[in-house]
Amino acid sequence: MTEFVIEQVATTPFEGQKPGTSGLRKRTTVFQQKHYTANFVQALLDSIPEGAKDAHLVVGGDGRYYSDEAIQIIARLAAANGVRKLTVAHRGILSTPAGSHLIRKLKATGGILLTASHNPGGPDNDFGIKYNGANGGPAPEAVTDAIYRRTTQLTHYAQADLPPIDITTLGTTAFGGGCFEVEVVDGVAAYVELMKSVYDLEAIKQFLRSRPDFTVLFDAMGGVTGPYFRALFVQELGFPADCCMNAEPSPDFGGHHPDPNLTYAKDLVARVEAENVAFAAASDGDGDRNMIIGKGCFVNPSDSIAVLAAYAPTMPYFARSGVKGVARSMPTSGALDRVAKKHGWPFHETPTGWKFFGNLMDAGQCSLCGEESFGTGSDHIREKDGVWAVLGWLSILAAAQQKAGPEVKVGLKTILDRHYAEYGRNYFSRYDYEEVDGEQAAAMMARLRAMVAPEGRSTTLADQSPFAPYTLKDCDDFHYVDPIDGSVAEKQGVRFLFADGSRIIFRLSGTGSQGATIRVYVEAYEATRVDLEPQTALKDLIQVALRVSQLQEFTGRKVPTVIT
Ligand code: G16
């Protein structure tokens, strides 16, 4: 057993170590500065609600550049701060959902996840660190605020002179006479077992056997999900080995921007069309986001959670546990609300950020939830789960095919068409303006906030001219009172709500690392006109959004970077 010596290293605070929507995300070069990562890790250890002493922490991430160094720093600081055990994923490869599961399964104190999610990685791109608590979910704001406060006060951090931890070999190593141990575990196996208990993989296999025409393609985008895709889709379900693209986790995601949307997953989209692929999916760097598409068919994430919820009773996990309630983030379309209403399920509308779902799930008030930002999940863990969603869609197809009988060939479009026929369609689109000048974006938001603030509101409601042809019924800056712990989240998005139920929403992204990203969300409901092209259906509303916000005037941007 290796003894170690603890050193108190003098340091000074770094500015801006404030976790965003989901952890601290900065350029890798920022994390590489002397003391920068150690400072943040010390602040994190100091802010663990149960205390770092005797803690058991899970460590892993999406394998992006600088992860190996960060794991060594975490080990040195953890040992010095009295942490009892680190469970580290083999080679550091642990998807965010698998990390959430491991924390829960091992009943660990929490976990440190090394990821900047869908942000590009590599020496010139982003790195990130986030803390998840004992429930497996992202730390709530009370904890992230405490971490931030601590980063502003640090004068020292404690580190042990450990030898480098070997994360390439499975097994346990003890240090300091056994007071600190590191166990390296397979980061994939436990998650695969979980999925086998959540879904009926045999039913999916039967569907596949009955449909040799059903071709598939999965794009891991060079991120962490390659090994999970292979284990589940190739080994368990029997898809051909070449059904997975970009399946080798790479420190820079093979140069990809690992964000599964129509812009950044364009190679997949092109292959789906060229090769007539019936079902395709992509996931992001850390495996919590997903995109579902097929030839001529894109499943909008807001629709995805609604359809998954509608079919939940056919899935073994929900057949066992029931659907206790559903939730969506505020900007996500109201498609889910309609499913909840039909089934009589409790429904919650939360701010953007998966952390807001955790309390509801822990209190048994929410079984499925989703966000327009390509995130869907359930209470099987406390993170959104890309692979879970892909399996969810495969099991929907299997259930629908079984019901339809062999004469009908069920596909993604069949499922969506039926859903729209039953519930109507919430047309939804998001325009992203990435890396806008921070001051310009702030000025635009300040003006919008003034329009909806109690003092400005009557003027905004009185002058309807900017909103024509829509009639403005209400406007506000969304705020949320957590029904479980009473915590309040303010300024979560400026909303303009129209008389016909349409909405436009503006907020700044909390996950970027450079400049500001403005997100504009538009939504309109049609009960019967359900087969329009979304950009056509939303054309007028988008014009209203651009006019009301004066986005072009403030930022100089004529076109968005990404349209969903
Ligand atoms: C993170 C959160 C999500 C949230 C998203 C929004 O996603 O985990 O719950 O919806 O950010 O990001 P923004 O603030 O940029 O709109 P991820 O996948 O980056 O971890």
Side-chain angles (χ1 to χ4, degrees), residues 215-227:
T215 46
V216 297
L217 195 55
F218 303 108
D219 189 351
M221 302 191 87
V224 75
T225 47

Side-chain angles (χ1 to χ4, degrees), residues 473-485:
K473 195 175 107 198
D474 205 352
C475 53
D476 67 1
D477 196 347
F478 183 65
H479 88 281
Y480 177 69
V481 182
D482 186 298
I484 313 302
D485 64 14

Side-chain angles (χ1 to χ4, degrees), residues 392-449:
W393 271 91
L394 287 171
S395 64
I396 287 173
L397 287 158
Q401 182 68 67
Q402 199 193 21
K403 197 162 171 215
E407 281 72 42
V408 182
K409 281 191 175 164
V410 171
L412 280 180
K413 189 157 179 339
T414 331
I415 304 286
L416 285 178
D417 286 348
R418 285 181 188 166
H419 190 89
Y420 299 149
E422 184 172 356
Y423 295 97
R425 184 167 180 183
N426 288 71
Y427 287 99
F428 176 89
S429 186
R430 186 177 100 183
Y431 278 33
D432 296 335
Y433 299 83
E434 295 177 329
E435 298 195 7
V436 169
D437 176 89
E439 282 180 16
Q440 293 171 350
M444 188 196 96
M445 287 304 294
R447 178 177 161 276
L448 287 170
R449 289 216 157 90

Side-chain angles (χ1 to χ4, degrees), residues 26-47:
K26 300 278 180 200
R27 288 288 190 241
T28 309
T29 46
V30 173
F31 277 97
Q32 285 172 317
Q33 294 172 84
K34 193 169 181 197
H35 303 315
Y36 189 92
T37 300
N39 269 22
F40 187 71
V41 171
Q42 181 66 57
L44 188 161
L45 293 170
D46 289 345
S47 310

Side-chain angles (χ1 to χ4, degrees), residues 191-255:
Y191 179 82
V192 170
E193 287 310 306
L194 174 69
M195 287 302 106
K196 284 180 167 160
S197 73
V198 167
Y199 290 114
D200 181 353
L201 298 192
E202 196 44 49
I204 300 176
K205 279 196 231 175
Q206 264 174 35
F207 162 66
L208 298 173
R209 278 196 290 273
S210 75
R211 289 285 304 277
D213 61 302
F214 188 81
T215 46
V216 297
L217 195 55
F218 303 108
D219 189 351
M221 302 191 87
V224 75
T225 47
Y228 298 84
F229 278 171
R230 280 206 214 97
L232 279 160
F233 301 138
V234 180
Q235 281 153 31
E236 293 291 335
L237 292 174
F239 286 121
D242 64 359
C243 73
C244 300
M245 303 165 57
N246 303 309
E248 217 42 69
S250 137
D252 69 348
F253 306 113

Side-chain angles (χ1 to χ4, degrees), residues 178-411:
C179 67
F180 176 64
E181 60 179 38
V182 177
E183 183 177 8
V184 178
V185 301
D186 181 334
V188 179
Y191 179 82
V192 170
E193 287 310 306
L194 174 69
M195 287 302 106
K196 284 180 167 160
S197 73
V198 167
Y199 290 114
D200 181 353
L201 298 192
E202 196 44 49
I204 300 176
K205 279 196 231 175
Q206 264 174 35
F207 162 66
L208 298 173
R209 278 196 290 273
S210 75
R211 289 285 304 277
D213 61 302
F214 188 81
T215 46
V216 297
L217 195 55
F218 303 108
D219 189 351
M221 302 191 87
V224 75
T225 47
Y228 298 84
F229 278 171
R230 280 206 214 97
L232 279 160
F233 301 138
V234 180
Q235 281 153 31
E236 293 291 335
L237 292 174
F239 286 121
D242 64 359
C243 73
C244 300
M245 303 165 57
N246 303 309
E248 217 42 69
S250 137
D252 69 348
F253 306 113
H256 288 101
H257 185 149
D259 194 359
N261 58 42
L262 294 171
T263 303
Y264 295 125
K266 60 179 185 314
D267 295 349
L268 176 76
V269 175
R271 279 192 63 186
V272 165
E273 291 307 316
E275 298 169 27
N276 289 326
V277 177
F279 179 89
S283 58
D284 68 332
D286 64 329
D288 56 2
R289 297 184 175 206
N290 74 94
M291 175 177 75
I292 307 286
I293 54 170
K295 169 84 176 174
C297 183
F298 165 68
V299 182
N300 188 291
S302 294
D303 288 342
S304 181
I305 184 59
V307 177
L308 282 161
Y311 275 86
T314 69
M315 300 170 187
Y317 178 84
F318 299 106
R320 281 196 303 269
S321 63
V323 176
K324 297 164 198 146
V326 296
R328 64 163 169 83
S329 66
M330 180 274 286
T332 304
S333 93
L336 179 64
D337 316 22
R338 296 173 195 281
V339 179
K341 193 165 172 207
K342 179 179 165 202
H343 288 266
W345 294 329
F347 166 79
H348 302 271
E349 184 179 39
T350 60
T352 294
W354 207 260
K355 59 192 167 201
F356 294 103
F357 296 132
N359 272 356
L360 297 171
M361 290 182 170
D362 289 347
Q365 295 193 13
C366 171
S367 299
L368 288 114
C369 48
E371 296 187 278
E372 47 63 42
S373 52
F374 294 87
T376 30
S378 91
D379 61 354
H380 65 290
I381 53 168
R382 294 293 182 274
E383 286 278 4
K384 55 191 190 276
D385 190 343
V387 174
W388 171 91
V390 179
L391 286 170
W393 271 91
L394 287 171
S395 64
I396 287 173
L397 287 158
Q401 182 68 67
Q402 199 193 21
K403 197 162 171 215
E407 281 72 42
V408 182
K409 281 191 175 164
V410 171

